[in-house]
Amino acid sequence: MNLRPHHILCIQKFTGHGYNADFTTHMKSIVSELADDPKTKINVVHGCDALCEMCPNNICGVCTSLEKVDLIDNSVLNVCNIDYGETAPWTYFANKMRKQIFETVEFNNICTCCQWFELCRSTEVYYE
Ligand code: SF4
Ligand code: SF4
């Protein structure tokens, strides 16, 4: 599954909210897929990914908030010492980001500019 870096965070904090019904239904199916098979191979990609597929902000394969999401993606990569193009099982990336971002001050540093931050801040992560 192709995922942009910060979506590995968002998936862990998903509580059923999203940009619209189609997006939310699609995200729910991705969250279920990863919960059913935590060893799913993740490719860390630059640009639109599996989650962006049904997003109303995805215009012809380009995010309308590209500048902001690129900034968040780069921060995630820097903090976790990951590069675009890396592949690993879902649990590897999920656990790494949980430990190095959700459980540290980096969560505030990276996510505070996101519209979902307050919701995510009060949501426990799903994966161990
Ligand atoms: S605050 Fe935004 S970027 Fe951070 S995990 Fe939540 S939805 Fe994703
Ligand atoms: S298109 Fe942009 S706003 Fe939509 S899910 Fe992808 S990165 Fe997020």
Side-chain angles (χ1 to χ4, degrees):
M1 182 185 293
N2 289 341
L3 288 178
R4 61 191 321 153
H6 82 276
H7 282 166
I8 297 169
L9 298 175
C10 311
I11 287 168
Q12 297 184 73
K13 291 282 190 180
F14 182 65
T15 53
H17 299 270
Y19 299 110
N20 63 23
D22 286 346
F23 176 86
T24 305
T25 301
H26 178 64
M27 186 158 181
K28 226 177 252 176
S29 75
I30 286 180
V31 170
S32 297
E33 191 179 328
L34 294 171
D36 289 347
D37 184 5
K39 291 187 177 150
T40 298
K41 185 174 142 192
I42 303 300
N43 312 309
V44 179
V45 296
H46 189 211
C48 282
D49 66 0
L51 198 51
C52 301
E53 272 172 28
M54 297 302 290
C55 182
N57 302 320
N58 174 356
I59 307 296
C60 300
V62 180
C63 178
T64 54
S65 303
L66 185 59
E67 206 173 313
K68 185 162 96 177
V69 295
D70 251 0
L71 208 64
I72 300 177
D73 280 336
N74 286 333
S75 300
V76 170
L77 294 181
N78 286 339
V79 166
C80 295
N81 200 22
I82 296 169
D83 289 320
Y84 284 119
E86 277 191 35
T87 62
W90 162 255
T91 44
Y92 172 81
F93 288 127
N95 287 337
K96 192 175 177 67
M97 292 190 191
R98 177 167 57 82
K99 288 194 180 90
Q100 293 182 233
I101 297 177
F102 288 143
E103 294 178 4
T104 74
V105 68
E106 298 296 352
F107 181 31
N108 276 26
N109 294 342
I110 292 171
C111 287
T112 196
C113 62
C114 175
Q115 70 182 96
W116 306 103
F117 179 61
E118 286 307 322
L119 181 62
C120 288
R121 203 155 64 131
S122 59
T123 302
E124 293 298 321
V125 295
Y126 286 170
Y127 298 93
E128 290 301 320

